[in-house]
């Protein structure tokens, strides 16, 4: 009887430890959304940059944190800004408190979703917010992170990685 109880106790302990490991793996790790590098200029300003591997549709708005004045950022064109904290809104996805430093480049980490879907498709954040839709093939610039692409009744998870093109193809038979 003692052997049976000790075996049952062992299995319960093993299952408990395994369940705790799964909880730890599922904890969200903060996502790095920008990187700062020296640009060796003598300017009193810093630069905000988005470098993409290919041309893609992009909407990116910049606000100094706490201010209403906005600027647009275009692919491959650095935007000189005074040092400080800026909020970057990328297809409606807010990247808060991005640091711009004197004589440094701040690069927003982004990639491209290349969809070959013919017909209506949508991009949603992992939190369930619709950020983009199209009626045919398109390349879309997105900040790094996890997204859901919805098309023809299917929902497919995808990850955007810095400097990479993620190809999304879907055929509805």
């Amino acid at each position: 009887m003692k052997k049976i109880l000790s075996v049952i106790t062992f299995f319960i302990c093993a299952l408990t430890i395994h369940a705790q490991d799964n909880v730890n793996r599922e904890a969200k790790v903060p996502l790095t959304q920008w990187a700062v590098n020296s640009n060796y200029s003598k300017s009193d300003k810093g630069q905000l940059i988005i470098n993409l591997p290919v041309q893609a549709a992009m909407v990116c708005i910049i606000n100094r944190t706490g201010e209403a004045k906005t600027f647009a950022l275009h692919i491959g064109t650095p935007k000189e800004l005074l040092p400080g904290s800026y909020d970057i809104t990328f297809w409606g996805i807010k990247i808060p408190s991005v640091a711009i430093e004197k004589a440094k480049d701040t690069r927003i980490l982004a990639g491209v979703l290349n969809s070959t879907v013919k017909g209506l498709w949508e991009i949603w954040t992992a939190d369930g917010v619709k950020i983009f839709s199209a009626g045919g093939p398109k390349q879309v610039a997105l900040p790094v992170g996890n997204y859901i692409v919805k098309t023809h009744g299917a929902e497919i998870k995808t990850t955007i990685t810095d400097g990479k093109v993620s190809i999304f193809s879907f055929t509805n038979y």
Side-chain angles (χ1 to χ4, degrees):
M1 184 70 165
K2 286 184 181 182
K3 283 185 176 182
I4 293 173
L5 285 176
S6 61
V7 169
I8 291 173
T9 304
F10 173 78
F11 281 119
I12 291 173
C13 289
L15 290 174
T16 304
I17 290 170
H18 180 69
Q20 289 174 351
D21 283 347
N22 286 341
V23 170
N24 291 338
R25 276 188 232 127
E26 292 175 8
K28 286 188 177 181
V29 176
L31 183 64
T32 301
Q33 296 180 300
W34 74 88
V36 179
N37 297 310
S38 294
N39 69 9
Y40 306 106
S41 82
K42 295 183 183 192
S43 172
D44 287 341
K45 296 181 178 181
Q47 293 189 106
L48 183 65
I49 302 169
I50 295 178
N51 288 329
L52 297 172
V54 295
Q55 282 293 108
M58 182 178 86
V59 173
C60 187
I61 305 297
I62 308 162
N63 294 50
R64 191 169 186 122
T65 302
E67 294 182 11
K69 186 176 180 182
T70 62
F71 309 94
L73 185 62
H74 302 285
I75 298 171
T77 306
K79 181 75 172 176
E80 279 200 349
L81 298 168
L82 291 171
S85 179
Y86 291 82
D87 295 333
I88 312 300
T89 306
F90 205 118
W91 289 114
I93 301 167
K94 186 175 182 178
I95 305 171
S97 305
V98 174
I100 303 295
E101 300 176 28
K102 178 181 175 179
K104 294 197 176 180
D105 292 337
T106 300
R107 187 173 64 84
I108 302 298
L109 304 181
V112 173
L113 177 69
N114 179 8
S115 173
T116 62
V117 173
K118 294 176 181 161
L120 184 62
W121 59 278
E122 303 170 334
I123 302 172
W124 293 67
T125 65
D127 299 333
V129 177
K130 181 179 166 183
I131 57 169
F132 184 84
S133 65
K138 191 120 179 134
Q139 294 188 92
V140 182
L142 293 166
V144 295
N146 296 315
Y147 297 91
I148 300 167
V149 180
K150 296 182 181 183
T151 186
H152 303 289
E155 294 185 10
I156 297 97
K157 293 180 181 179
T158 189
T159 300
I160 299 299
T161 305
D162 184 45
K164 305 284 184 197
V165 176
S166 297
I167 297 174
F168 178 78
S169 184
F170 182 84
T171 305
N172 189 13
Y173 293 105

